[in-house]
Amino acid sequence: FRRVGSPDLRKAEVRIVSATHRPLSEMVADGRFRQDLFYRLNIFPIHLPPLRQRGGDVALIAESLIGRIAGGRSLGFSPKVLACLSRYSFPGNVRELRNMLERAVLLCDGDEINSQHLPPELTTVCSAVSGELASGVVTGQYNSVAEQPSLSRLASQFRGNRKALAKHLGWSERTLYRRLKALNGNRGQKKGGE
């Protein structure tokens, strides 16, 4: 390429990373998006489903975001909050989750984010989760150490084998086995360190 007004030829290597929520291939077919530009950009497409379709990932994403947002504070989530977040539909996708967490960090004086730190739009979801936690019947995806007390209680109260428990939680048997093993390992470390 040449700079405007310069006779010198220059070289550059670039990669363009672009994102959209629009159906570009349909737009190309309709003539609403340039075909040549589409084929220049569409080299390695990566489809990321919206957050509402990734309930099991919400806790991991929230923990990653809270590490960036908290500004050096060591903040965690109550099991109830993780259950609420994993069930919320997130019409605003990851940006909405980030905004919720920024609000929670501002409102939280302690070291654990609880349901009172969440915005009002999660009230209905958190109410449903409260009922399930009280009855000891909690389903859904759990992905953090904060979930372990409820996992331990559920495992001890569950009537059925490990295969049925894994199915109830929406996990593979291997995932359940790993998490129970980690839970027992953490208990052993606490006893040994006391």
Side-chain angles (χ1 to χ4, degrees):
F1 70 95
R2 286 190 177 92
R3 289 179 174 174
V4 176
S6 171
D8 299 331
L9 190 62
R10 295 176 169 256
K11 290 185 178 181
E13 284 189 34
V14 296
R15 285 196 176 118
I16 298 173
V17 178
S18 59
T20 185
H21 64 281
R22 298 188 178 195
L24 291 184
S25 54
E26 292 174 21
M27 292 173 70
V28 167
D30 294 345
R32 293 181 289 139
F33 193 83
R34 284 181 32 199
Q35 186 178 25
D36 64 318
L37 180 58
F38 175 73
Y39 289 116
R40 286 174 198 250
L41 293 175
N42 195 32
I43 296 167
F44 190 79
I46 300 171
H47 175 71
L48 283 176
L51 201 51
R52 67 183 158 273
Q53 294 175 7
R54 297 165 54 198
D57 294 341
V58 171
L60 295 172
I61 294 168
E63 287 175 357
S64 173
L65 288 173
I66 204 76
R68 298 179 205 166
I69 295 168
R73 288 172 61 192
S74 179
L75 279 175
F77 298 97
S78 71
K80 181 179 176 181
V81 166
L82 289 175
C84 291
L85 292 175
S86 68
R87 293 180 185 192
Y88 182 63
S89 64
F90 289 102
N93 218 353
V94 178
R95 285 187 191 101
E96 183 180 12
L97 173 60
R98 183 180 174 87
N99 290 343
M100 283 181 184
L101 296 179
E102 285 182 5
R103 170 198 165 102
V105 167
L106 291 172
L107 295 175
C108 182
D109 291 331
D111 58 354
E112 184 176 77
I113 294 173
N114 294 302
S115 56
Q116 70 263 22
H117 304 127
L118 297 176
E121 53 265 27
L122 274 124
T123 304
T124 307
V125 176
C126 288
S127 297
V129 168
S130 291
E132 290 180 9
L133 284 171
S135 68
V137 181
V138 182
T139 59
Q141 302 292 327
Y142 305 95
N143 295 294
S144 74
V145 173
E147 79 189 0
Q148 291 177 347
S150 61
L151 174 60
S152 174
R153 189 177 70 238
L154 184 60
S156 65
Q157 294 174 352
F158 190 79
R159 293 184 182 188
N161 60 18
R162 295 286 187 231
K163 184 176 184 176
L165 177 58
K167 186 176 181 182
H168 177 73
L169 291 168
W171 295 342
S172 68
E173 286 181 73
R174 185 175 179 177
T175 298
L176 176 63
Y177 174 77
R178 278 197 326 261
R179 293 193 183 169
L180 288 172
K181 185 176 177 184
L183 178 61
N184 291 333
N186 287 342
R187 281 190 188 146
Q189 288 173 0
K190 285 179 186 173
K191 286 178 184 173
E194 289 177 352

